[in-house]
């Protein structure tokens, strides 16, 4: 009988051992690595998920995308919150700072039938580049996050403001490691989505904006072409069309 934990963990351990050998890692460097891992235990709670997501979250999405035919998933990141307000009157951002952005499209199955009753969570960083509920509590948690329910026409529409390029938290161990590697902590501007309906695979993705800063130099290497969108303009409002087709659980 196969033992999945034995299979995966022993393969990961072997990969790390091979890499230590290839790089002639010293005892001193090994101890520094262990001390680094210990520093994560004293850091804010989100640092371990953040570090894992920086290196491995998109890898799992890439694997998942080979198994599905619907819309491409993209990394969730560590800043989703389950308890968020309902999006009423299509309004996600209650602050009105920044350039207006309308996001709209359909949530459908693979044949184009509306996913009536599906929930859609939307979240993005505030104009200061923070996710509410995690960083400095200058903006309440019910801003820049919300959940709506898809109706009979399968349509959704959200009114918010256009997020800016974003630095992942860089004052803790994750940012410290990137800095020690000579890397920057920036991500291109992005909006997160999570769509759920019983009978369908949970869909998690992001929207990125074509041609914007860091689109080719994301510190978490999350940008994939199907999730990069060209924006339209209507007066001073940006328009993003994003269509979602979910795979049924077979
Ligand atoms: C983020 O905002 C994010 O989206 C990801 C994937 C990782 C860290 C912070
Ligand atoms: Fe994010």
């Amino acid at each position: 009988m196969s033992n999945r934990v034995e299979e995966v963990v022993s393969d990961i351990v072997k990969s790390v051992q091979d890499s230590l050998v290839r790089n002639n890692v010293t005892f001193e460097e090994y101890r520094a690595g262990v001390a680094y891992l210990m520093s994560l235990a004293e850091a804010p709670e989100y640092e371990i998920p953040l570090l894992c997501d920086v290196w491995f979250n998109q890898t799992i999405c890439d694997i998942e995308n080979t198994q599905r035919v619907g819309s491409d998933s993209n990394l969730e990141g560590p800043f989703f919150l389950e308890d968020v307000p309902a999006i009423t009157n299509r309004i996600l951002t209650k602050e009105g700072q920044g350039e207006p952005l309308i996001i709209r499209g359909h949530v459908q199955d693979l044949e184009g039938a509306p996913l009536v009753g599906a929930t859609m969570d939307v979240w993005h960083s505030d104009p200061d580049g923070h996710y509410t509920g995690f960083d400095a509590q200058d903006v309440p948690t019910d801003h820049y996050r919300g959940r709506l329910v898809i109706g009979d026409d399968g349509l959704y529409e959200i009114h918010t403001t256009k997020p800016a390029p974003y630095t992942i938290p860089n004052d803790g161990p994750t940012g410290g490691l990137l800095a020690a590697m000579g890397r920057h902590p920036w991500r291109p501007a992005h909006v997160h989505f999570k769509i759920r309906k019983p009978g369908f695979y949970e869909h998690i993705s992001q929207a990125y904006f074509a041609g914007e800063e860091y689109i080719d130099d994301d510190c978490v290497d999350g940008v994939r072409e199907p999730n990069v969108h060209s924006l339209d303009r209507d007066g001073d409002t940006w328009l993003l069309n994003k269509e979602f087709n979910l795979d049924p659980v077979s």
Side-chain angles (χ1 to χ4, degrees):
M1 208 177 76
S2 87
N3 178 335
R4 179 78 174 157
V5 177
E6 157 61 20
E7 233 169 84
V8 176
V9 174
S10 65
D11 192 62
I12 291 171
V13 169
K14 183 74 170 67
S15 301
V16 175
Q17 290 167 338
D18 289 348
S19 164
L20 297 176
V21 171
R22 268 199 311 279
N23 290 284
N24 285 311
V25 169
T26 66
F27 190 70
E28 206 178 326
E29 289 168 335
Y30 167 70
R31 278 289 168 224
V34 173
Y36 175 78
L37 292 178
M38 289 174 72
S39 78
L40 288 164
E42 266 105 66
E45 205 167 56
Y46 59 72
E47 280 285 344
I48 291 176
L50 177 64
L51 184 70
C52 293
D53 290 356
V54 164
W55 301 130
F56 307 121
N57 193 337
Q58 185 55 37
T59 305
I60 305 298
C61 294
D62 291 340
I63 296 166
E64 190 177 287
N65 287 333
T66 67
Q67 320 282 312
R68 310 256 200 279
V69 299
S71 304
D72 269 48
S73 66
N74 195 253
L75 73 179
E76 175 172 355
F79 297 132
F80 171 74
L81 288 179
E82 193 62 69
D83 297 315
V84 294
I87 298 175
T88 50
N89 300 323
R90 302 170 166 170
I91 306 297
L92 180 65
T93 302
K94 301 169 187 71
E95 289 235 310
Q97 288 181 42
E99 299 172 47
L101 168 68
I102 294 177
I103 310 171
R104 59 165 81 105
H106 300 82
V107 177
Q108 299 171 328
D109 69 12
L110 298 180
E111 278 78 46
L115 283 198
V116 183
T119 61
M120 173 191 257
D121 280 78
V122 185
W123 70 104
H124 64 80
S125 54
D126 72 18
D128 298 326
H130 297 128
Y131 282 88
T132 61
F134 288 91
D135 282 288
Q137 302 296 310
D138 47 346
V139 182
T141 313
D142 65 346
H143 288 59
Y144 307 102
R145 301 177 176 278
R147 179 174 302 157
L148 54 78
V149 180
I150 300 301
D152 292 343
D153 53 8
L155 283 165
Y156 76 92
E157 181 170 309
I158 295 154
H159 294 218
T160 186
T161 52
K162 192 164 168 283
Y166 166 79
T167 42
I168 66 167
N170 64 354
D171 54 356
T174 306
L177 184 59
L178 289 178
M181 295 168 76
R183 297 195 188 185
H184 68 72
W186 287 91
R187 300 208 66 216
H190 59 277
V191 179
H192 294 268
F193 302 89
K194 182 183 289 210
I195 302 173
R196 290 176 282 195
K197 174 165 171 145
F200 293 83
Y201 285 102
E202 178 177 78
H203 174 86
I204 300 170
S205 68
Q206 301 190 29
Y208 305 97
F209 312 131
E212 294 218 338
E213 216 179 348
Y214 300 109
I215 200 85
D216 296 318
D217 190 21
D218 178 7
C219 72
V220 312
D221 187 25
V223 180
R224 300 289 182 272
E225 191 276 327
N227 283 301
V228 179
H229 303 275
S230 297
L231 298 182
D232 291 320
R233 261 213 115 145
D234 177 10
D236 64 356
T237 301
W238 295 101
L239 301 174
L240 164 62
N241 180 258
K242 192 166 171 67
E243 301 293 329
F244 295 93
N245 295 90
L246 271 61
D247 285 70
V249 176
S250 41

